[in-house]
Amino acid sequence: MPIRVLLADDQTLVRASFAMLVASAGDMEVVAEAGTGRQAVDLARSARADLVVMDIRMPDLDGIEATRLIAADEDLAGVKVLVLTTYDTDEHIVDALRAGASGFLVKDIRPAELLDAIRTVAAGDSLLSPGPTSRLIARFLRAPDTLVSAVGGPGGLSERERQVLTLVARGFNNTEIAEVLGLSPLTAKTHVSRIMGKLGARDRAQLVIVAYESGLVIPGAV
């Protein structure tokens, strides 16, 4: 079955470009397009989307609040949200991750990267870009707040699990974690799953926030 994609962006030309790109892939299809956050929430229900490509800056209801409503709706439990941001201008990406987004991308990505990101998030994995975008996350994280207390800090983790969590926070995937720590990819994946279970985290996106807000990873150190 193709991945059912909902495109949410207030710019018609941007939506049209993304729609053409998605339509060119044989394993996904655009089932609806939304120009506002409110439309995105409504269409996520009515169009039975698997994944929403969500812009942040939209009228009526911004992408962060739209993501929060989708993530909180039990009827939309299977719907993933992939958020788009403009690097170095959009300071709301951390809020989007807290709201329930499973990943994010910057808008200057290559077309193939967007398609790969849709596949990754639709498969149940989180997409956390390394490099500049990780630094963007770190810059806007401050002292511990409600997410750490709600999810739980890393105090109960083993030393190996803390190492794995640190690498997750820096944007490493399971294969890269395995290479750095001398593990098999399956063992790395098992560690990540156990960490999420111990912390009560929904996905890797929440693990990144926990790692930074608890002080395990220091902003500016990536």
Side-chain angles (χ1 to χ4, degrees):
M1 294 292 292
I3 302 168
R4 299 173 61 82
V5 180
L6 165 60
L7 301 174
D9 195 296
D10 64 333
Q11 298 183 42
T12 304
L13 183 59
V14 171
R15 292 202 311 274
S17 298
F18 286 165
M20 291 178 61
L21 176 62
V22 172
S24 71
D27 58 344
M28 59 188 73
E29 63 178 334
V30 176
V31 294
E33 297 182 29
T36 71
R38 181 66 62 185
Q39 289 178 352
V41 176
D42 293 340
L43 287 171
R45 296 190 183 100
S46 62
R48 296 182 292 113
D50 297 317
L51 179 143
V52 183
V53 177
M54 182 82 75
D55 187 24
I56 289 182
R57 301 178 186 275
M58 288 189 293
D60 183 25
L61 191 71
D62 67 31
I64 294 172
E65 187 58 31
T67 297
R68 184 174 291 111
L69 291 176
I70 290 173
D73 191 330
E74 293 183 358
D75 293 335
L76 298 177
V79 179
K80 308 295 183 181
V81 178
L82 176 61
V83 169
L84 294 178
T85 183
T86 303
Y87 176 63
D88 261 347
T89 62
D90 199 331
E91 302 180 3
H92 303 299
I93 187 62
V94 173
D95 291 334
L97 293 175
R98 289 193 180 108
S102 293
F104 63 89
L105 290 173
V106 291
K107 281 191 171 181
D108 61 354
I109 58 168
R110 295 188 297 272
E113 290 179 309
L114 176 58
L115 296 180
D116 287 342
I118 290 173
R119 295 183 183 104
T120 296
V121 173
D125 294 323
S126 293
L127 184 76
L128 301 168
S129 300
T133 313
S134 293
R135 290 193 291 273
L136 179 64
I137 295 176
R139 188 188 317 161
F140 299 112
L141 284 169
R142 295 296 181 262
D145 65 4
T146 54
L147 183 64
V148 173
S149 60
V151 175
L157 301 181
S158 68
E159 181 60 30
R160 175 62 82 189
E161 288 169 339
R162 291 168 70 89
Q163 292 172 344
V164 171
L165 178 56
T166 298
L167 293 175
V168 169
R170 291 175 176 168
F172 286 53
N173 60 35
N174 291 340
T175 300
E176 292 166 337
I177 291 171
E179 291 176 353
V180 170
L181 298 180
L183 308 171
S184 71
L186 179 59
T187 299
K189 180 179 180 181
T190 299
H191 277 306
V192 173
S193 297
R194 287 177 178 170
I195 293 168
M196 287 194 288
K198 285 185 176 182
L199 300 183
R202 179 183 58 250
D203 54 29
R204 295 171 83 105
Q206 281 199 338
L207 292 183
V208 170
I209 302 298
V210 170
Y212 279 112
E213 292 192 330
S214 66
L216 182 63
V217 176
I218 305 300
V222 289

